[in-house]
Amino acid sequence: MDDVDVVIIGAGFAGLGMATQLARRGQESFVVLERADGVGGTWRDNTYPGIACDIPAHLYSFSFRPPADWSARFPRGAEIRSYLEQIVVDEQLTDHIALNRELREAVWNEAGAHWVVTAAAPDGRAATFRARTLVVAVGRLSEARIPDVDGLDTFPGQIVHTAAWHDDVAVAGARVGIVGTGASAVQLVPHLADAAEDLVVFCRTPPYVVPREDRHYTDDERAAMLDPRVAAQVRDRLLTEADTAFRQRLGLHPDIDEIRARARDHLHGQVVDADLREQLTPDYEIGCKRILLSDDFYPALQRDNVVFESSALSSVAESKATARSGHTYDLDVLVMATGFESARPPAASRIRGRAGRRLSEHWSAGMTSYASTVVSGFPNMFVLDGPNAALGHNSAIYMIETQLDYVVGALEYMAHNGIATLAVSPAAEDAYTHEIDARSESTVWLTGCDSWYVDPDSGRLTLLWPGTAASFRERNGTFDPEPYLSGPGDPGTGTPVKGEE
């Protein structure tokens, strides 16, 4: 068993950001456990044609890193992965990262005030670590979701999820079906339309789409934005501009009317056929689901070799795919653009806190937390990019940075005060959850659409922060020991950290 101060699970944006902060502090020993054979998380796994970010590049990067030489306003997937790989080199993280090490189990040891973390390699070899602190950075887009489609196992052709795309997917000259019209699909569909003989797009619910308006930066612009001061100014401007869109998510006028009109004008300007326009018109409030950015999705749907099927895939019988409408299509390849297990992360079933309680049990009615980062009953554990830590209108990286500041503040507090166990009280988590629920009531995310932002069982908004990025930092960017308990025993039985009642 190896002893380290901190175990980090996952080597995506959040995990590498945490590792960078720890390496720069130089006060804690740490290891990053990554189940794959490389770093990058979502941007390692998703390599389908057309993959790119829908947040401007200079906002979708760490403020504490030197500015990257982004080629366009919206960074391509390969550029983002290269950015993350460069972090490993520049911050000298290689020796801290254990690849091909999937989390098997993390168990809190009350008597020793530490976590025992076991990770396994593909050949079955296991490594065990004893750590004072556990940082869970598995992300929200790491576990592909495959819908339960009757007969799917009888399909003789290739079935591939967008998050598992590979060069051997034989779409050239084939009859291809793509299931879903979310963020991945709108990027991939134009490329599939170019390559396939025939393409069927199965759509359960049409998305709202607005113009992407991407462009490449000029050489002069790229050179200027390598200046940290210029990059910081661009980042701050983009952040402020993006935060203004939260008024849309509150359904406030005229903001929501303007974005709705923008999506409608984009649809009417690009789709000539009235029947197809009607099929592509959403019947829910804009913003309830993710608003998508694309300039070529609608044109691709009108190509002669593309069929827009305005209902979900219902069943498969060998090579025949049947939609809910009753229409049947002969296909060679099925592409599942069906998203991820975001609201119920599978890794939660492998983490056991006080009294052996699994994190998945604690979250059985939907994810909850305090400060969107810590969970009662799971001492010395921090969850990055987890409950109510994402945004529907701004940069996830800004949110991760806020959480990193919180975790570093907690580590400093523990070290300065000689605290072995830091456990947030159940009362603090309950109060925070009620605060989240109250703030969520007035948002478009709870207006009735079926969205991955909302827990499927409880109906609570569990993925998104119901506010601006700036308000998240104001609320959760600084560690405050007030809601914590110290000492042995079950939650609530210890002494408040500040010695106050």
Side-chain angles (χ1 to χ4, degrees), residues 59 233-246 393-394 398 468-470:
L59 188 52
Q233 291 171 358
V234 171
R235 176 185 173 87
D236 290 345
R237 174 177 57 79
L238 290 170
L239 180 74
T240 301
E241 290 175 353
D243 254 358
T244 62
F246 182 66
H393 68 283
N394 210 327
Y398 183 88
T468 63

Side-chain angles (χ1 to χ4, degrees), residues 238-258:
L238 290 170
L239 180 74
T240 301
E241 290 175 353
D243 254 358
T244 62
F246 182 66
R247 288 179 55 84
Q248 301 164 2
R249 278 41 173 201
L250 290 173
L252 298 178
H253 304 286
D255 305 75
I256 195 167
D257 305 310
E258 292 170 351

Side-chain angles (χ1 to χ4, degrees), residues 227-296:
D227 182 332
R229 294 169 300 177
V230 175
Q233 291 171 358
V234 171
R235 176 185 173 87
D236 290 345
R237 174 177 57 79
L238 290 170
L239 180 74
T240 301
E241 290 175 353
D243 254 358
T244 62
F246 182 66
R247 288 179 55 84
Q248 301 164 2
R249 278 41 173 201
L250 290 173
L252 298 178
H253 304 286
D255 305 75
I256 195 167
D257 305 310
E258 292 170 351
I259 188 64
R260 191 189 300 113
R262 191 171 183 228
R264 182 196 62 230
D265 292 347
H266 189 50
L267 172 61
H268 284 244
Q270 288 201 319
V271 179
V272 176
D273 182 81
D275 290 337
L276 181 58
R277 279 204 309 266
E278 183 177 356
Q279 294 174 35
L280 286 166
T281 300
D283 62 358
Y284 53 90
E285 184 59 277
I286 189 167
C288 185
K289 290 176 178 285
R290 187 173 177 178
I291 301 173
L292 307 181
L293 281 66
S294 178
D295 296 322
D296 53 3

Side-chain angles (χ1 to χ4, degrees), residues 145-155 158-160 176-181 200-205 308-331 333-338:
R145 187 181 74 86
I146 303 294
D148 185 14
V149 176
D150 185 41
L152 189 62
D153 58 348
T154 71
F155 186 68
Q158 287 182 292
I159 301 176
V160 61
V176 180
I178 182 168
V179 182
T181 51
V200 180
V201 180
F202 294 91
C203 175
R204 182 183 62 178
T205 310
F308 179 75
E309 170 54 58
S310 60
S311 67
L313 176 64
S314 177
S315 64
V316 174
E318 297 186 343
S319 64
K320 294 187 181 296
T322 301
R324 193 167 295 164
S325 64
H327 296 149
T328 299
Y329 306 92
D330 286 313
L331 300 175
V333 180
L334 265 174
V335 179
M336 313 303 282
T338 47

Side-chain angles (χ1 to χ4, degrees), residues 55-235:
I55 295 293
H58 290 86
L59 188 52
Y60 199 79
S61 49
F62 288 123
S63 66
F64 52 78
R65 285 282 303 159
D69 185 18
W70 301 110
S71 66
R73 182 168 182 252
F74 293 105
R76 306 311 191 254
E79 284 188 278
I80 299 173
R81 179 174 179 176
S82 294
Y83 172 80
L84 292 169
E85 291 172 340
Q86 193 62 44
I87 289 177
V88 174
V89 175
D90 293 347
E91 303 294 340
Q92 301 180 18
L93 301 178
T94 302
D95 291 343
H96 294 279
I97 300 173
L99 299 175
N100 295 304
R101 287 293 183 182
E102 183 169 16
L103 173 66
R104 179 178 289 174
E105 191 173 53
V107 180
W108 172 250
N109 182 298
E110 189 71 58
H114 62 251
W115 286 91
V116 177
V117 183
T118 304
D123 62 4
R125 292 182 298 110
T128 303
F129 301 86
R130 180 165 46 208
R132 181 187 62 178
T133 301
L134 176 66
V135 177
V136 181
V138 297
R140 297 167 288 109
L141 308 179
S142 57
E143 299 288 344
R145 187 181 74 86
I146 303 294
D148 185 14
V149 176
D150 185 41
L152 189 62
D153 58 348
T154 71
F155 186 68
Q158 287 182 292
I159 301 176
V160 61
H161 192 279
T162 50
W165 189 270
H166 51 88
D167 292 339
D168 294 334
V169 181
V171 297
R175 300 168 300 177
V176 180
I178 182 168
V179 182
T181 51
S184 298
V186 300
Q187 294 181 345
L188 180 56
V189 161
H191 296 271
L192 293 180
D194 282 341
E197 177 182 351
D198 296 300
L199 174 64
V200 180
V201 180
F202 294 91
C203 175
R204 182 183 62 178
T205 310
Y208 281 100
V209 183
V210 297
R212 186 171 182 81
E213 298 177 344
D214 195 8
R215 71 177 184 85
H216 286 279
Y217 289 123
T218 66
D219 291 343
D220 288 344
E221 287 176 313
R222 291 172 71 167
M225 286 188 285
L226 288 176
D227 182 332
R229 294 169 300 177
V230 175
Q233 291 171 358
V234 171
R235 176 185 173 87

